[in-house]
């Protein structure tokens, strides 16, 4: 069953940032969907299995941004 987790990511300013975060997080094994709301920085990650917070934080960091918290 798919599960979702929601994070707040800081540093995203435009659609390029959104694409970079979506691409990196979407590369995590088992992740099936990534939604980014640019104005709020809210990122919703959906996976086949429970999403790994550390993997998401690492992917966001890899893209050049930071997970400020989990909602
Ligand atoms: Cu940007």
């Amino acid at each position: 069953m798919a599960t979702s987790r929601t994070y707040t990511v800081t540093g995203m300013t435009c659609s390029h940032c959104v694409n970079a975060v979506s691409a990196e997080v979407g590369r995590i094994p088992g992740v099936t969907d990534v939604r980014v709301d640019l104005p709020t920085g809210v990122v919703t990650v959906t996976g086949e299995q429970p999403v790994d917070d550390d993997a998401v934080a690492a992917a966001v960091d890899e893209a050049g941004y930071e997970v400020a918290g989990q909602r």
Side-chain angles (χ1 to χ4, degrees):
M1 195 182 111
T3 57
S4 296
R5 283 173 94 90
T6 304
Y7 307 86
T8 304
V9 172
T10 55
M12 295 186 295
T13 56
C14 68
S15 61
H16 173 264
C17 304
V18 170
N19 289 337
V21 168
S22 300
E24 280 300 331
V25 175
R27 215 166 271 153
I28 299 169
V31 167
T32 54
D33 190 54
V34 184
R35 303 271 156 122
V36 180
D37 185 60
L38 181 58
T40 59
V42 171
V43 177
T44 304
V45 183
T46 303
E48 295 159 351
Q49 283 130 27
V51 177
D52 182 343
D53 293 337
D54 290 341
V56 171
V60 169
D61 185 71
E62 184 67 29
Y65 308 95
E66 192 180 352
V67 173
Q70 195 194 319
R71 294 161 55 108

